[in-house]
Amino acid sequence: MTLVPPPTVPAPRAILFDAGNTLVFADRVRMAQIYRSAGVGWEADRFVSAELAAREELARRVSEGHVGTEPHLWRDYFITIFSLSGVPEDAMDEVGHLLREEHARDHLWTHVEEGTGDALEVLARQGYRLGVISNADGRMEDVLIRTGLRELVEFVIDSEKVGIEKPDPRIFREGARRLDLPPEDCLYVGDLYPVDVVGAWGADMSAILLDPAGRLEFPVDRVAAVRDLPDYFQGR
């Protein structure tokens, strides 16, 4: 059965967000330290381009039926990043080991892109209710507290804590329930089409896909970054 998107909501009452690679991103300073500790050169622009390409490949694989949080799927995601960002094959195991150690010690997804917090504040002033629904490891609320974003949203649903993960429609419906709104009045913003957009549609929410490079071809409205959302909703 082909999933048909719900009608576009001209003015949703609530906007719900993915967290990783939507509100928060890998800390480039700490990633650079990991690379250099393994004797690998670091180029920030090359890393960003590699991460975008890896995200697109991840979306393709999830579209083929893989589960988004399977360890091998995320392993391949990072192998793609390493390969495209200049990590030699004989250094990949070391970089991967250092990355896992650092992420276990202190969550790596703590970089907030310029304009993200300002955009959330503008959306709230415009009357939208805001929340977060994330496939995460139980630490996402703490991450958002540290980055200053938690105070800008009403709640954070972490899949590890509720025992449901996207694209299961139940986790999206839980977000609507916490707002005491029907799912049809909510819109979800995320970076992975088969996980975020298709999952939201399955819960009768509308959705927007983040497409920083402007090269994704999916049947859904797209913006480059969260900071672009106030303009997107202007006049709706």
Side-chain angles (χ1 to χ4, degrees):
M1 180 178 70
T2 301
L3 184 62
V4 178
T8 300
V9 178
R13 296 172 63 187
I15 304 171
L16 305 177
F17 294 88
D18 179 30
N21 291 335
T22 297
L23 295 177
V24 290
F25 298 80
D27 184 330
R28 282 79 185 260
V29 172
R30 290 161 63 199
M31 288 299 302
Q33 292 170 345
I34 289 169
Y35 274 47
R36 290 168 181 150
S37 294
V40 176
W42 168 262
E43 298 177 41
D45 290 344
R46 190 174 182 183
F47 175 83
V48 171
S49 296
E51 195 284 321
L52 286 175
R55 201 185 312 174
E56 291 165 5
E57 176 65 12
L58 178 64
R60 183 190 67 78
R61 294 200 61 197
V62 175
S63 295
E64 293 173 350
H66 298 277
V67 178
T69 53
E70 286 181 357
H72 73 269
L73 196 61
W74 289 104
R75 179 201 64 201
D76 291 349
Y77 165 79
F78 282 107
I79 287 174
T80 301
I81 292 176
F82 297 161
S83 177
L84 295 178
S85 61
V87 178
E89 187 172 351
D90 60 3
M92 284 191 182
D93 285 347
E94 176 67 9
V95 173
H97 172 71
L98 292 172
L99 186 150
R100 288 190 298 273
E101 277 196 338
E102 177 63 13
H103 185 60
R105 183 191 70 82
D106 187 12
H107 204 292
L108 269 170
W109 267 250
T110 55
H111 171 73
V112 178
E113 291 190 340
E114 184 178 357
T116 298
D118 291 342
L120 296 182
E121 290 179 350
V122 170
L123 292 170
R125 287 198 300 269
Q126 291 175 343
Y128 298 106
R129 298 179 65 187
L130 309 178
V132 171
I133 302 173
S134 175
N135 281 1
D137 62 1
R139 296 184 287 172
M140 188 49 66
E141 185 155 21
D142 290 339
V143 167
L144 296 180
I145 290 171
R146 289 171 54 190
T147 56
L149 298 179
R150 176 62 182 89
E151 63 188 29
L152 303 178
V153 299
E154 294 188 29
F155 60 82
V156 177
I157 297 176
D158 185 313
S159 63
E160 178 69 19
K161 292 189 174 182
V162 298
I164 313 167
E165 63 182 29
K166 302 175 297 180
D168 190 322
R170 292 178 297 167
I171 197 168
F172 295 93
R173 294 189 187 113
E174 173 61 17
R177 186 195 67 79
R178 294 193 187 191
L179 294 165
D180 196 24
L181 291 174
E184 295 86 352
D185 283 351
C186 302
L187 180 143
Y188 190 77
V189 180
D191 67 297
L192 287 177
Y193 176 81
V195 174
D196 298 320
V197 174
V198 174
W201 287 350
D204 295 322
M205 291 184 184
S206 53
I208 292 175
L209 180 67
L210 291 192
D211 182 13
R215 59 192 183 207
L216 297 178
E217 296 183 358
F218 293 111
V220 63
D221 284 358
R222 296 169 292 154
V223 297
V226 168
R227 63 177 172 269
D228 299 319
L229 287 171
D231 287 341
Y232 173 90
F233 286 111
Q234 189 69 37
R236 286 176 176 253

